[in-house]
Amino acid sequence: MAIQAAISGDGVVLGRTTLIERDLAEGRLVRPFDETQSCELAYYLLHRKESENAPPVVALKEWLQHIASGD
């Protein structure tokens, strides 16, 4: 349900690559961060490409990066 909401442009989703790899490959979803890390338990923030610069998406990305970095 959350993945479909992100594809429809109604939100963002943190998801596992195995669940969204087809949507990534077909361009329905994009990874907003350039760098990826190998991790057994990793999460990704996904959103529609055209939403990349939307203020709520930018704010969420910045907040998540802040939280993840431990600053």
Side-chain angles (χ1 to χ4, degrees):
M1 186 179 272
I3 293 169
Q4 187 57 49
I7 291 170
S8 298
D10 295 325
V12 297
V13 66
L14 294 172
R16 300 191 114 193
T17 303
T18 55
L19 297 176
I20 49 84
E21 59 193 350
R22 177 181 240 168
D23 295 309
L24 287 170
E26 296 179 5
R28 288 186 291 271
L29 294 172
V30 296
R31 286 187 176 115
F33 305 114
D34 292 333
E35 67 274 348
T36 60
Q37 297 180 6
S38 293
C39 178
E40 187 175 318
L41 297 173
Y43 293 92
Y44 299 92
L45 172 66
L46 305 164
H47 56 77
R48 292 176 62 180
K49 188 171 186 135
E50 53 271 13
S51 300
E52 184 170 6
N53 295 315
V57 174
V58 171
L60 180 58
K61 285 193 267 188
E62 290 173 354
W63 178 78
L64 287 170
Q65 287 176 322
H66 173 75
I67 295 299
S69 70
D71 292 338

